[in-house]
Amino acid sequence: MLRLIVRRLLQLIPTLAGLSVLLFLWLNRLPGGPTAALLGERATEADRRQIEAALGLDQPVLVQYGRFLRRLVSLDLGTSVQTGRPVWEEFTTRFPATVELGLTALLIAVVVGIPLGYLAAARRGTWLDVGAVSGSLLGICIPVFFLAFLLKAVFAVNLGWLPSVGRQSNDINATEVTGFRVLDGILTGEFDASWDAITHLILPSLALASIPLAIIVRMTRASVLEVLSEDYVRTAESKGLKRQVVRARHVLRNALLPVVTTIGLLTGQLLSGAVLTESVFAFNGIGNFLRTAIDGRDYPVLMGFIMFIALLYVVINLLVDLAYSLIDPRVRVH
């Protein structure tokens, strides 16, 4: 297992190096260059030269790239044009909200999606199978922002069961430790604050989980159906093994491999795709901040976000590879 981890970590180096080159080229190929992005179209030539000298843009390209790499390694992502604060500081302030929302949505999608997809395949042709397939198709077709508005209108505005905006109620004076509101309430013993944060998470996480849930249901169902038709499954059943044993040891374990891959891809998409959901529910996370950065052409923020999401994808792929080796030991050999 250790050799597998080391091998995968070494394979990440060229990936991250290639990504840094692409980001650097993107920054230098912006319309009018980075100075125009920072100063706008009406900047004078003297202002441009001053900014180029301050940013080191008058240096050779290789020198600029070396400086760019040193900044990335030291987590110096620059300063936000709009807020005037370091981009890394903005991320660490807002990212816990997005991670909390994304992980809750992923938890809902996995906990509901895998059992539902498995049961739909095991009871193929029944009302449960038809309902799961139809519901998953509906979940994929409905846009996230429309579902978010619908949930907010029904359960927050009309019924008043759940809060409609924010991460926590204004009258909750919670102690902040990690930035994760639910976890902070548990750590400090302020369980009312945790519960209040959970109620604020329900509607946005349900909206965000809709598409991943539908995909996981369909992927699990298709994978289980394929494994059920394999010869080794029929052989195991013909040897007299109990159906529960065959399903647990041979069917579900082998069917999980493509599902794990899908979950890994969906995890990165959840965090990068939370922009619309956070906007609808005024959730103060990185998605809402990113939307403002796009509107204001805040390129340091966009660059940091791209690098961070890419790094996140790389880490998630590493975790997926490790999960592969746990589910199927043959992966360690190859």
Side-chain angles (χ1 to χ4, degrees):
M1 176 66 80
L2 183 60
R3 292 179 59 187
L4 175 67
I5 295 174
V6 173
R7 194 165 64 239
R8 291 291 186 268
L9 286 175
L10 290 177
Q11 290 174 352
L12 297 183
I13 295 175
T15 304
L16 293 177
L19 180 65
S20 68
V21 172
L22 290 176
L23 260 180
F24 177 75
L25 293 177
W26 176 66
L27 278 175
N28 281 272
R29 293 296 178 183
L30 289 173
T35 52
L38 292 172
L39 296 176
E41 301 296 335
R42 297 183 179 180
T44 63
E45 187 63 27
D47 292 337
R48 288 196 180 93
R49 290 179 181 174
Q50 186 177 0
I51 287 294
E52 286 177 356
L55 297 178
L57 298 177
D58 52 351
Q59 300 291 322
V61 175
L62 288 179
V63 176
Q64 293 182 41
Y65 180 66
R67 187 183 296 114
F68 175 75
L69 276 184
R70 283 197 300 274
R71 287 176 53 196
L72 283 182
V73 172
S74 61
L75 299 180
D76 179 10
L77 302 177
T79 303
S80 169
V81 175
Q82 292 188 311
T83 65
R85 298 175 61 193
V87 173
W88 180 251
E89 189 177 320
E90 292 283 2
F91 276 13
T92 53
T93 302
R94 301 168 188 271
F95 203 64
T98 302
V99 172
E100 201 170 46
L101 175 61
L103 288 182
T104 306
L106 183 66
L107 184 67
I108 294 173
V110 171
V111 170
V112 177
I114 292 179
L116 186 57
Y118 175 79
L119 290 174
R123 300 177 183 178
R124 186 179 185 182
T126 63
W127 63 268
L128 179 63
D129 183 27
V130 175
V133 173
S134 304
S136 62
L137 183 61
L138 193 64
I140 293 175
C141 293
I142 297 179
V144 173
F145 73 92
F146 176 73
L147 181 61
F149 277 119
L150 191 64
L151 291 173
K152 184 176 178 179
V154 174
F155 295 101
V157 178
N158 291 333
L159 297 177
W161 290 353
L162 293 165
S164 60
V165 295
R167 295 184 65 195
Q168 217 161 32
S169 301
N170 293 329
D171 56 347
I172 296 289
N173 188 20
T175 306
E176 188 165 320
V177 180
T178 64
F180 297 93
R181 300 290 171 82
V182 178
L183 179 62
D184 287 351
I186 296 173
L187 292 176
T188 58
E190 298 170 348
F191 298 110
D192 58 331
S194 278
W195 176 247
D196 186 70
I198 290 173
T199 59
H200 281 77
L201 273 172
I202 292 176
L203 291 182
S205 58
L206 281 176
L208 190 60
S210 59
I211 293 180
L213 172 61
I215 293 175
I216 290 175
V217 168
R218 297 180 75 87
M219 179 61 70
T220 306
R221 178 182 179 275
S223 184
V224 170
L225 284 177
E226 183 179 350
V227 175
L228 281 174
S229 63
E230 294 289 343
D231 291 338
Y232 61 84
V233 174
R234 287 194 293 271
T235 302
E237 289 177 342
S238 65
K239 289 169 65 178
L241 288 176
K242 292 182 179 178
R243 171 166 291 188
Q244 293 84 353
V245 175
V246 175
R247 297 288 170 88
R249 289 184 182 177
H250 301 286
V251 177
L252 187 58
R253 190 167 183 172
N254 288 289
L256 277 179
L257 287 175
V259 179
V260 169
T261 305
T262 305
I263 292 174
L265 295 174
L266 291 174
T267 303
Q269 291 179 4
L270 274 177
L271 297 178
S272 59
V275 178
L276 292 176
T277 308
E278 290 184 0
S279 299
V280 172
F281 291 98
F283 210 80
N284 192 24
I286 199 71
N288 209 14
F289 182 58
L290 181 65
R291 181 183 60 81
T292 310
I294 294 173
D295 293 339
R297 299 175 67 187
D298 197 341
Y299 287 104
V301 171
L302 297 178
M303 183 197 71
F305 180 78
I306 293 171
M307 194 67 201
F308 189 81
I309 289 298
L311 185 62
L312 189 66
Y313 267 104
V314 169
V315 173
I316 290 172
N317 277 325
L318 174 64
L319 295 177
V320 168
D321 287 342
L322 297 180
Y324 268 0
S325 65
L326 292 176
I327 297 173
D328 188 353
R330 291 174 298 179
V331 176
R332 301 176 206 169
V333 178
H334 299 290

